[in-house]
Amino acid sequence: MEVWRLARVLSRTLCLNKSTCGAVLVTSPFLSGGTTVLQGITSRSYSSTGPAVTESTALVYRRHGDPSQVVQLETRKLPELEAKSVLVKILASPINPADINMIQGTWRTASVFNEGDLVTVPNDISVLSAATLGVNPCTAFRMLSDFESLVAGDTVIQNAANSGVGQAVIQIAAAKGVHTINVVRDRPDLQQLTDRLSAMGATYVIKEEMLRKPEIKDIFKVCPRPKLALNGVGGKSATELLRHLQTGGTMVTYGGMAKQPVTVPVSALIFKDVKVRGFWVTQWKRDNKHNDEALRFMLDELCTLIGAGKLSAPSCTEVGMKDFHKALDNAMKPYISSKQILVM
Amino acid sequence: MEVWRLARVLSRTLCLNKSTCGAVLVTSPFLSGGTTVLQGITSRSYSSTGPAVTESTALVYRRHGDPSQVVQLETRKLPELEAKSVLVKILASPINPADINMIQGTWRTASVFNEGDLVTVPNDISVLSAATLGVNPCTAFRMLSDFESLVAGDTVIQNAANSGVGQAVIQIAAAKGVHTINVVRDRPDLQQLTDRLSAMGATYVIKEEMLRKPEIKDIFKVCPRPKLALNGVGGKSATELLRHLQTGGTMVTYGGMAKQPVTVPVSALIFKDVKVRGFWVTQWKRDNKHNDEALRFMLDELCTLIGAGKLSAPSCTEVGMKDFHKALDNAMKPYISSKQILVM
């Protein structure tokens, strides 16, 4: 059965295997012969009368180093298709910080998966939303669900508020009626950034310096101290978040942009009972590989928010696959707020 | 009702109030007229024909500073006794590190409590065991119970293994068949200390330097990596404990002898899913002030271990109340392994 299905892909990493990477993607209505096709609608599909695809163009690397130096474009032959194989044409694929930190796979134009390893998304969401759904919104969703029981009126504080995860946190929290205090680094276009995050639903957008000023207490006259802190930075920034947590609150670390450890005062642990945790969405997907319900529930919730216009894709820059050098370089620049999406 | 009950006290701080400080102590068999006297047997008691006691000698402080400088001995008049008052004569009272760090109460020879605030202990355990039961063994018991589900064959790693908490951890863990890796600072009498902790049931006693050596891996050929790390030190010592935890394991901080914060690598949080928590027994007692069952269960378990010779009091030095300067000074010396107990 050689079928070319022009499909949507949630994310490059997600394509590899549902059991290690979680969700993906689009299967064709033609492919329903008793197999476990998870619900969802194919975006577009071609019958097997389409042209035979035997090769994929892929970004691969063979040695460690500066990503834009070591990654190169190669053409690779696709494997023979077997009974339950699905040949997937990739439409778009984001470059995530985790990809940069530990490049282990490749970006590619087409690939073959076992159909059991794929999961569908509705076809009424945009390619960019679908391409960026699998990592950042899932990370935000789980961190807001799995550590503290948040209800409308509660507060979450986060640094890296302008990151892909940060923007998803703002929007998912706002949809729940949860206040967010969003810490960003000072920058020339701060007002513009503040306006953009506020439009997404951010309750407060503050500079990191503000965390150390007495004026921050004015915020806690309006909304309660945070139950949950989300840390994508580490170092001093994380310690400052901790200081403002409620007694018994949790800080979840999901990234370490500052390349410094998380330093926790002993008194915060003993007398304020703060809980210091970490989260890695890839591990969550591994742990839940047999829990299709949890994955399905999360994707449905996120796609509902997207469909309702409450969860937008992060600012994206679409880059042709041949310009991957530029995309990789941009993905590593600290102040580029735009996610690089390779369009195939 | 003026009765002088010569009673055992679990600990000075525990006497103040069960709701804030948890368990205490000994009520008389004469005091059972329908009131909530928790089960237990009075060690000794005198009827109201005994001499009237109207004063207490107490160690008090009125300003902050070096404990042995600011604490002084004073005689204080006791309050009038009311219907459910219990006048308690204190037999012995330990000096705990927490007392030194934040002296908030006083040591005293007699005090008056509401009987509902007292809880009994069996009278077949020694005064020193009773006097040291309320803080360190309770801390050890809760840390071994409330954070990870430990079964026989599991491993716990701890620093400050020679502290009061550390010794209780060794013994309670050994009674459960749980391995302990016990980290101590190097010292002249190391072999003697190792022998003493091993006799208590310590599986391994190692020097802090050992945590950084490859030889430590030999231990993990014999017993599994620890699910639980108990940290009474902070700083580098805590970070070293973390390194050896199992994926998904928990480090609980209950003290900070090194006066340095706990530093957690971001990768340990994200990729090893370590959980960093704190524990304070006083807060546990506050949180459980209406949960007599939990308190009773813990004290029964601990007293059973004491009765069976499986949980001994820490090395104690009994000091007369008038020699409190010496006791306070000794309690602050870093290498004194002996707990100072004021005997009234």
Side-chain angles (χ1 to χ4, degrees), chain B residues 50-174:
Chain B
V53 174
T54 55
E55 286 182 341
S56 165
T57 305
L59 293 176
V60 297
Y61 85 112
R62 295 216 166 65
R63 55 190 172 87
H64 290 278
D66 178 356
S68 87
Q69 302 295 318
V70 299
V71 171
Q72 56 195 63
L73 207 57
E74 288 186 6
T75 298
R76 297 182 145 195
K77 205 170 149 39
L78 289 165
E80 288 298 310
L81 296 181
E82 293 168 10
K84 297 199 173 179
S85 297
V86 182
L87 173 58
V88 175
K89 181 165 192 284
I90 316 293
L91 299 181
S93 190
I95 300 176
N96 293 304
D99 299 329
I100 297 291
N101 290 339
M102 37 168 231
I103 298 181
Q104 289 183 328
T106 52
W107 295 270
R108 64 188 72 193
T109 57
S111 196
V112 175
F113 301 97
N114 186 297
E115 64 178 17
D117 293 339
L118 303 176
V119 67
T120 59
V121 292
N123 66 357
D124 62 354
I125 67 173
S126 72
V127 170
L128 290 185
S129 281
T132 55
L133 179 59
V135 176
N136 293 340
C138 289
T139 299
F141 182 89
R142 296 253 64 94
M143 294 197 299
L144 291 170
S145 305
D146 295 349
F147 295 89
E148 290 287 341
S149 169
L150 296 172
V151 297
D154 282 339
T155 308
V156 171
I157 191 167
Q158 65 168 341
N159 56 23
N162 190 38
S163 67
V165 171
Q167 292 181 35
V169 164
I170 290 170
Q171 295 173 87
I172 298 168

Side-chain angles (χ1 to χ4, degrees), chain B residues 127-272:
Chain B
V127 170
L128 290 185
S129 281
T132 55
L133 179 59
V135 176
N136 293 340
C138 289
T139 299
F141 182 89
R142 296 253 64 94
M143 294 197 299
L144 291 170
S145 305
D146 295 349
F147 295 89
E148 290 287 341
S149 169
L150 296 172
V151 297
D154 282 339
T155 308
V156 171
I157 191 167
Q158 65 168 341
N159 56 23
N162 190 38
S163 67
V165 171
Q167 292 181 35
V169 164
I170 290 170
Q171 295 173 87
I172 298 168
K176 287 182 172 211
V178 169
H179 304 291
T180 52
I181 302 171
N182 299 281
V183 183
V184 295
R185 286 169 296 183
D186 202 4
R187 61 189 77 202
D189 63 342
L190 182 66
Q191 189 56 50
Q192 205 180 332
L193 173 63
T194 302
D195 292 346
R196 195 161 54 78
L197 298 182
S198 299
M200 285 182 190
T203 321
Y204 295 95
V205 180
I206 61 175
K207 290 188 291 184
E208 226 168 82
E209 301 82 90
M210 176 73 170
L211 288 172
R212 288 181 284 276
K213 290 187 180 163
E215 293 92 302
I216 193 170
K217 289 196 177 136
D218 294 342
I219 290 180
F220 302 127
K221 292 173 189 160
V222 182
C223 60
R225 280 187 176 267
K227 265 190 188 170
L228 184 67
L230 303 176
N231 167 40
V233 178
K236 277 182 196 168
S237 175
T239 309
E240 293 294 336
L241 292 190
L242 267 177
R243 281 185 45 209
H244 298 295
L245 268 186
Q246 269 185 27
T247 294
T250 299
M251 182 169 81
V252 182
T253 292
Y254 64 92
M257 284 197 296
K259 299 194 189 301
Q260 284 165 0
V262 171
T263 299
V264 188
V266 164
S267 60
L269 292 168
I270 301 180
F271 301 120
K272 262 187 77 181

Side-chain angles (χ1 to χ4, degrees), chain A residues 141-318:
Chain A
F141 182 90
R142 296 254 64 93
M143 293 198 300
L144 290 170
S145 307
D146 295 350
F147 295 89
E148 290 287 341
S149 170
L150 296 173
V151 296
D154 283 340
T155 308
V156 171
I157 192 168
Q158 65 168 342
N159 55 24
N162 189 37
S163 66
V165 171
Q167 293 181 35
V169 164
I170 290 170
Q171 295 174 87
I172 298 168
K176 287 182 172 211
V178 170
H179 304 292
T180 53
I181 301 171
N182 299 281
V183 183
V184 295
R185 287 170 295 185
D186 202 4
R187 63 189 76 201
D189 63 343
L190 182 65
Q191 189 55 51
Q192 206 181 330
L193 173 63
T194 303
D195 293 345
R196 196 160 55 78
L197 298 182
S198 299
M200 285 181 188
T203 321
Y204 295 96
V205 180
I206 61 175
K207 290 188 292 184
E208 226 168 82
E209 301 82 272
M210 177 74 171
L211 288 172
R212 287 180 285 276
K213 290 188 180 162
E215 294 91 302
I216 194 170
K217 289 192 179 141
D218 294 341
I219 290 180
F220 302 127
K221 292 172 188 161
V222 183
C223 61
R225 280 187 176 269
K227 264 189 187 171
L228 183 67
L230 303 177
N231 167 40
V233 177
K236 277 182 196 169
S237 176
T239 309
E240 293 293 336
L241 292 190
L242 267 177
R243 281 185 45 210
H244 299 295
L245 268 186
Q246 269 184 28
T247 295
T250 300
M251 182 169 81
V252 182
T253 293
Y254 65 91
M257 285 197 295
K259 300 193 188 301
Q260 283 165 2
V262 172
T263 299
V264 188
V266 164
S267 60
L269 292 168
I270 300 180
F271 301 120
K272 262 188 75 181
D273 192 25
V274 299
K275 302 170 180 78
V276 179
R277 304 284 304 271
F279 181 74
W280 186 27
V281 75
T282 303
Q283 189 60 45
W284 185 88
K285 288 168 179 170
R286 279 179 201 154
D287 293 345
N288 287 272
K289 65 183 171 187
H290 299 304
N291 187 356
D292 284 336
E293 208 176 320
L295 180 62
R296 192 69 264 166
F297 176 78
M298 172 169 68
L299 293 179
D300 287 349
E301 291 274 306
L302 292 172
C303 290
T304 300
L305 290 179
I306 292 168
K310 292 179 177 172
L311 176 58
S312 56
S315 310
C316 290
T317 304
E318 300 181 48

